[in-house]
Amino acid sequence: MESNAWLYINITLLITIVGFFIRKNKLFFLLQLVWMQLIMGLNTYSMDWESNENVFLNANTTSNARSGIFLRLYDIIAVFFKNIGLNYITFNFIFCLISTGIVGYIIYRLCKNPCIVISYIYIYPFIDNVIQKRAYYALGFIILGFYLFFKIKSKLLKNIAYLCCIILACQFHVLAILGFSFVIYELLSNNYKKIFVSLVILLGFLFRSKFAYIISILNVQSLNEKSDLYFNQLAKSSTLFHLIFWIFWQVAYLLIIIYCIKRFNLTTKLPSYVLDLNVWALILLPFYTFDPVFSRIFRVVMIFNYIVISNNIKIKDLKINKDSIYILFSQIILSCLSLYVFVFNSPFGFDNMVLNIFQNNVLLR
């Protein structure tokens, strides 16, 4: 069984590497997405499997106390699946397919070199996406929200579309609630956006001890459970060094985008929008005083970063220019660092974080 797992790990590694060379091939892009879906959707055990499956098994539609507006749709769909005799494996496959389909579609629509983007995702955050299943379901809807906000011209319609996507994302993971702040951010002028982000960061650090209390006022069980986990249990292992590291880690992604925009003199709408997403995402920094679990929201921004970076990998006559090399490898190094910190250096160990994923799959026996 373990030898098969290593075979599938090597296949994943090969698909990742080849994606940086076969940059535009539509069939290979489809192959990358299909393999991703097979690993994610047909997974039958991983680090968070039991907790995710228990949410599915405990889902009911008789009480609003557990979820309020959060996870309500999840409960309805889960109950429907159980009523027709379908298990969590099927449920997971369908919602992984929806998220992977959304991610693939948006990459295909926005990117000149889509295979590179998928390769970056394979480096990070692929493993975490497999493990943190409900976060991945939510990620698909948040990405769709950002995409629709970018594409729709009407201010009213883009806000409505975005808010609908965030509300949908909240049905799968409560962290998606942070996405509502983007609407406020986008109502502001560029100067006021910076003031808004600076103010949120400052207040976040000053009143971090009040976060759990603020959440408790809402009196929603699912929020209270997560509040206790994030702001109390996980925060016990937090240190100043950890905080500084996570701040530099996220800012490094921002700096690569800034370098890319300035070096290639990018003036089109997409790079400016992605830079805006990165600036908005700085509101996450105070949450790193508790735990990097809040970086799950930033994974959405990562994918848009990968798109902008990949669009500016310029190769002519089998030669790649110097700036493209710098950006390509800077992002590879940063993504590999993310993989090491979040996965390989995890206290749960390589076997639990990685090997379990490739050992436990309906198709890959």
Side-chain angles (χ1 to χ4, degrees), residues 161-223:
Y162 175 80
L163 287 172
C164 287
C165 289
I166 296 301
I167 291 170
L168 277 172
C170 285
Q171 304 308 303
F172 298 94
H173 205 289
V174 295
L175 272 183
I177 193 174
L178 294 171
F180 287 113
S181 63
F182 182 71
V183 174
I184 301 171
Y185 173 82
E186 281 297 326
L187 290 173
L188 306 172
S189 66
N190 286 334
N191 287 334
Y192 282 107
K193 283 179 180 178
K194 294 174 184 176
I195 295 171
F196 171 78
V197 170
S198 300
L199 192 60
V200 171
I201 293 173
L202 177 62
L203 292 176
F205 281 117
L206 288 176
F207 297 102
R208 64 179 295 276
S209 61
K210 303 296 183 182
F211 285 0
Y213 172 72
I214 294 169
I215 295 296
S216 69
I217 294 173
L218 298 174
N219 195 30
V220 176
Q221 183 180 339
S222 58
L223 283 179

Side-chain angles (χ1 to χ4, degrees), residues 120 256 325-335:
Y120 276 133
I256 290 176
I325 291 175
Y326 288 157
I327 292 170
L328 176 72
F329 281 98
S330 293
Q331 188 56 68
I332 288 175
I333 291 168
L334 186 54
S335 296

